[in-house]
Amino acid sequence: MKLKNIFLCITAIIISIGIYACKDESNIIIPTPSVQLDSARYDWKNILIPNEVGAYLSSNPWMPDTDEVFIIPEQKNKVFHYKSGYYNFIEFPSGVELNDIKGLSPTEGYLFGMKQEEGKNIPYFYRWNGNSFFRIPVNICSDKIFKPEREPAIVRNSNEMWLSSPGVNWKFDGYNLIAYPLPDTNAYSWGFYDKYNKLKCYYFISSYDTVLNSSQVHYETTKILEFDGNDWNIIFQLKQKAEHELTLPYYYFYQIRNTMLILIHNIASDNLYEWNQNNSLNFIKSYPRGLLPEIGFDPHFPIIGNPPNDIIFYGIALNSSIGHWNGTRFSLENTSLTNRDINFARGTMLDSNYCLLWDAGIQFRQVFLLFSKRKNLTKQN
C-alpha cells in the first residue's frame, strides 16, 4: 500500500506542474509476460578484434560506410580503423587525449581531442578525408577550461559541431571554439538535435539528502535543456531516488539519434514514452514487468536504432541476446555470441545497418565487432 501511495502522489505532482502529459492508457492491452519472438530479421557478421578496443572505456563507434568503422580505444592517443575485413591502429602524438569521432560521409569525419601544453588544455581536432587525418586549426574564444570527455559529440555539418566539458557545451564552427555555460558547473551533458530541429542536451546530477533523521538517501536529478541560440534553458527536471534505493516508479532516460525515450519502471509494468516537441510525453508501449529482460534488454545498457519502429535492445539477459523491435513485434537476433557473458556494448547505425562493439567474456575477455545486414524476408511479421 505504501508503494502504491507513493506512486499516486508522484504522478499527481508531475501532472499538476504540467510536465507529464501523455496519451490516455485506459484502453491499453498489456501483453502476457510470455511473448513469442519473431525469427531474426538480420544476418550478423562477427569479427574478433584486439582487446584494447574494449567497449567500456572506448568511444562510440563511427560507421561512415556499411563495412567501415572507427573507434577510439581505451588508450586515447590512437584510433582503431576497420574496413572490409582489415583493421589497423592510427597513432597520434604522445600526450594527445582523443575523445570522440563523428562524421558526415566516408570522406568527411571529425576527430576531437586535447593535449596539455604549458599548463593549458589545447584542442587537437582532426579531419578525415577518406584516406588520412589532418589537423584543423582551432581558435578558442573563451577563458573557460576546455576538457572534453567521452560524452558523444554532435557533428551537424562542417560549420556546426558541439562538445561537452564540465559545465560547458562548446560550439565549433570549423575554426572558432565558443563556450556556452550550463546551469550546473560540474555537469557533463549529452547533446542532440531532435526531430523538430531543436538543439537539446541532458545530464544527471547526484545528491544526498537526510530524510527524517535517518541515513542519507541518494538522489538523482535528470535535467533536459534546450538551446535558444544564446543560452541553455532547463525545460524539464525530475528528482528521484537513485535506482539502488529501490523506489518505484523509476525513470530511465535514453537518447537515440533524434529522439528522447523514457522508460517508466512500475510495480506491474514498464511503460515506454517519447519526448515530444511540446516538452511532454507521448505514450508508445506498455510491457508487463519482466518482459523487457525476457527479450534480452537490460536498462543499464544503451539501446540504439531509429525509434519508434526500428530499435535494437541488448543486455545481459537471455544469454546476452539481441532483440529488434519493428514497432509491432520483437525478434530474437542470432549473433552466434549469445552464450557469452557480456561486460558492455556500444553501437551505432547507418541507414538500416547496425554495428555493435561487443565486449564479451568476464574470465577470458574477447572483443567483437558485429555488423548487421537486413534479411530478405518474403513475409514480415
Side-chain angles (χ1 to χ4, degrees), residues 161-283:
M161 309 171 212
W162 290 86
L163 300 96
S164 177
S165 66
V168 180
N169 282 337
W170 296 83
K171 180 182 178 181
F172 181 57
D173 65 6
Y175 177 65
N176 297 302
L177 188 61
I178 305 168
Y180 292 93
L182 296 168
D184 296 278
T185 56
N186 294 319
Y188 282 98
S189 72
W190 291 263
F192 66 102
Y193 269 93
D194 67 16
K195 62 180 64 176
Y196 312 105
N197 291 318
K198 295 180 179 179
L199 179 60
K200 288 184 168 64
C201 75
Y202 69 103
Y203 54 81
F204 308 97
I205 301 293
S206 292
S207 61
Y208 293 86
D209 295 346
T210 301
V211 179
L212 299 176
N213 298 320
S214 62
S215 59
Q216 285 191 325
V217 177
H218 184 192
Y219 286 87
E220 293 174 347
T221 301
T222 302
K223 298 185 180 183
I224 302 177
L225 300 88
E226 188 171 290
F227 188 63
D228 64 8
N230 296 298
D231 300 296
W232 288 97
N233 304 299
I234 298 172
I235 57 175
F236 169 89
Q237 60 181 349
L238 173 68
K239 183 176 181 179
Q240 61 181 340
K241 289 184 179 180
E243 184 184 13
H244 66 263
E245 299 285 352
L246 302 177
T247 301
L248 296 177
Y250 187 81
Y251 291 64
Y252 294 97
F253 293 81
Y254 305 95
Q255 178 254 316
I256 312 174
R257 294 168 68 91
N258 61 3
T259 302
M260 174 71 78
L261 297 180
I262 299 176
L263 178 68
I264 303 179
H265 189 48
N266 286 311
I267 297 173
S269 64
D270 294 321
N271 299 321
L272 190 63
Y273 297 85
E274 177 184 350
W275 190 263
N276 65 29
Q277 62 179 333
N278 298 318
N279 297 325
S280 57
L281 302 180
N282 291 335
F283 177 75

Side-chain angles (χ1 to χ4, degrees), residues 62 76 87 129 181 303:
W62 172 47
K76 290 186 174 182
Y87 64 78
N129 61 11
I303 52 180

Side-chain angles (χ1 to χ4, degrees), residues 87-129:
Y87 64 78
N88 67 306
F89 287 93
I90 304 170
E91 295 200 13
F92 292 82
S94 176
V96 172
E97 294 184 6
L98 303 173
N99 302 104
D100 199 19
I101 181 168
K102 290 286 189 299
L104 301 170
S105 72
T107 58
E108 185 177 359
Y110 294 91
L111 177 62
F112 304 99
M114 57 150 281
K115 182 181 180 181
Q116 284 197 339
E117 296 179 351
E118 299 180 354
K120 295 182 179 180
N121 294 343
I122 305 300
Y124 269 65
F125 293 176
Y126 297 84
R127 177 169 172 170
W128 173 256
N129 61 11

Side-chain angles (χ1 to χ4, degrees), residues 22-31 283-286:
C22 61
K23 181 179 176 181
D24 179 17
E25 302 178 32
S26 59
N27 60 351
I28 297 170
I29 299 175
I30 299 178
F283 177 75
I284 297 178
K285 190 76 174 177
S286 182

